[in-house]
Every structure is written in structure tokens, then in C-alpha cells.
Amino acid sequence: MANGFGSFYVGQSGLTSAQNAINVTANNLANVNTTGYVREQVRFSDKNYIVRDPATINTNVQQNGLGVSISDVAHARDIFIDKSYRQEVGRQGFYDTMHQSVCYVEDILQEMNGQEFKGAISDMWVAFQEFAKDPGNSTNQNLVLQKAELFLSRSGAVYKDLQSYQSNINLQIKDTVNRINEIGKEIYKLNLTIQKIEAGGVETAMADRDARDLLLDELAQYVKIDVEEDRTGFAYVKMEGVNFIELNRCNEIGLR
């Protein structure tokens, strides 16, 4: 009977572990559309073995297993893929910003897809060439004055557009810096929460880790970052090679 009940215990541990694994799978399916959620994986391990007879010269060790248990529920996330993604998304953000700036300046110089600014320069150049042929001709003199006045007018319009664009860029920089500081504060708070939850070595702060990873991915869109996590679960962040999130604080970016 003892051996029979032992088999029951082993079977019961397998069914219980399988049920918990199904619960984790159901949780993955329920959060398939949740932004920032990372799929979880169940890892099984053997329970302790009861040694009945130790190994001898002629026999192997005699032992009974107590079944199976769940050793860990792990994030299906790779730190190397995270690093590569954050590096590439940062490059994409840089080139997207450069592309938008060049396109906007190009639109300004073309006077918002109207007559191109270079047309005014070309017309003034032609007028001066005609004026050089016959400086005493009043028609050539009037043409130079007319084209020069048109050039100055369009130059002033382009200058105002560039000033306006510079003001818009300043506002965008301010909003971006404020958002970066907000992300840093949120990551720092999540670091402390993760440390508290995982301090006992029993529970893993899955939801908080998902939220932190999502913020780190967003931060990588703005600046180049390097992330290093210690054994307590605290994530240190360097931004452009400068410490941004440290053990006791988040160093905010200032505006001047």
C-alpha cells in the first residue's frame, strides 16, 4: 500500500503542476492584446528524492522520487534581443527626426510647395546679368530693383518660417525632456517595487517587470541607453554614457 500511495502522490504532483501550467497559459492568452505584456513560461523540476539504500560497490543508489513541481515561472524575454531592439529603435528615431527636419526645411525653401525660393535667386541673377550688359538702360535698372525687392520679400518670409520652426523644435525638445524625466521617475519607482516583491526569493514581479520593460523600450526611442540589472532586480540605466538611474535616485535632465 505504501508504494501505491507513493505513486498516487507522484501522480497528484504532476496533475497539480500541469493545472498550474494551464493557468499560466490561460493568463498568456487573456493578455495577448495587453500592451507591454510578456509571455510567461513554466519551468518544471523534480521534487526531492528519498534515499532508501545508498550506493555500494555492487549496487546503485536506491531512492524514491516525490514527483514534479514548478521551479519557476519565467519571462519569455531575451536580454540580447532587448539590447539589439533598443539600439536599433534609437537609430530609427534619430533618422526619423533628421528626415522630418530636412523635409520641413525643404518645404520652407519651396515656400510650401508653391514657387521655389531658388526661383527668386535665379531671377535676380538673370536681372544682374542683363544689367551688366547695359548699366545705363533704365529697363535693366528697374528689373534689378524689382527682382531684388522680390528676393528680399521672399527671404524675409523664409526667415520667419525658420524662426517659427525653431520655436516649434524648442517646444518639442521641452516636451521630450519632460517625458524622459517622467519615464526615469517611473522606472525608479518600479525598481523599488520589484526589489520589495522579489526580496524573499519566492515571487517574481511579472507585471512590474513588464511595465518597466515597456518604459525602457520607450526611453530607447529618445536616447541611447544601456541597462544593467543587479541580482536584486534593480535596473541601472545609463543615458548617452551618463548615469541616469542610480541606486538612490534618478538624475533628471535640466533645460536652459
Side-chain angles (χ1 to χ4, degrees), residues 25 27 35 44 53 56 62 67 69 78 95-96 117 122 126 131 141 165 167 182 210 212 219:
T25 302
N27 186 54
T35 302
F44 296 99
D53 295 313
T56 63
Q62 303 296 311
S69 65
D78 190 287
Y95 288 117
D96 282 345
F117 177 68
S122 299
V126 172
F131 176 77
Q141 294 173 357
Y165 181 53
S167 299
E182 290 176 2
D210 288 343
R212 187 178 67 181
L219 182 62

Side-chain angles (χ1 to χ4, degrees), residues 95-107 165 169:
Y95 288 117
D96 282 345
T97 302
M98 292 291 292
H99 175 71
Q100 293 173 6
S101 300
V102 171
C103 289
Y104 193 85
V105 172
E106 184 181 25
D107 287 339
Y165 181 53
I169 290 178

